[in-house]
Amino acid sequence: SKISTLEINEIKDWELGSDGKVVVLFKNGGLSVFSNNEIFNIAQKASLFALAGNNETIAFLDYDGPLYVYKLDNEKYLKLESGVNETISDLSWYKDNEHLFIEAGTGLYFTEVDERLPLNTIRLATDISEYDYEQAQDSLYILTPKGIFKSEI
């Protein structure tokens, strides 16, 4: 069945949740969730996002820099003060839905998603060009100039 009429050239990225939710990032910065024939507009100037495995939390980065988490179940925004001062280029959720991997500059960081400050953020790696986290195997793959490294978490 058709979820919504969208122009393909308007979409920058999208992700399908295991519960059937569809999260769409539009080229104009709009971030929306399509669920049960309803549309929820989450942000107006998002540049990237990641849907948590529980399908209830979305991390997103605004064009002007702030990193936010939006909880769909209680419609609550949380601005994350991670302490990462480089330009964020990628986000992904850890399997517990309470921590994020953040790729910024040439570093990879791991931060908690919590209202209590300060947030615990650690740098996992430097001089990376890409990473991938596989939840099913709980494995982190990091690509560096010296090779591909795997870490089981």
Side-chain angles (χ1 to χ4, degrees), residues 22-135:
V22 179
V23 182
V24 177
L25 175 61
F26 295 94
K27 289 180 181 175
N28 68 2
L31 182 63
S32 300
V33 178
F34 297 82
S35 179
N36 299 323
N37 297 320
E38 292 185 82
I39 301 172
F40 304 96
N41 295 315
I42 306 300
Q44 299 303 318
K45 53 182 182 172
S47 60
L48 61 95
F49 76 95
L51 177 64
N54 65 3
N55 302 303
E56 292 300 326
T57 311
I58 301 171
F60 67 93
L61 182 69
D62 267 355
Y63 280 122
D64 56 2
L67 178 60
Y68 292 96
V69 169
Y70 182 77
K71 303 228 179 223
L72 291 164
D73 57 348
N74 62 9
E75 299 179 3
K76 184 176 180 181
Y77 289 91
L78 173 64
K79 184 176 178 181
L80 292 183
E81 302 286 348
S82 67
V84 175
N85 297 319
E86 300 162 287
T87 301
I88 296 173
S89 57
D90 196 15
L91 300 169
S92 60
W93 286 93
Y94 181 62
K95 68 180 181 179
D96 67 0
N97 302 305
E98 295 178 7
H99 294 83
L100 280 170
F101 292 102
I102 300 172
E103 182 179 353
T106 60
L108 179 62
Y109 301 85
F110 188 69
T111 190
E112 64 184 342
V113 174
D114 197 330
E115 294 177 3
R116 298 168 292 175
L117 296 176
L119 294 180
N120 292 313
T121 301
I122 59 170
R123 186 173 53 209
L124 297 176
T126 58
D127 204 20
I128 75 159
S129 55
E130 196 172 332
Y131 81 99
D132 189 34
Y133 172 64
E134 295 296 327
Q135 283 190 5

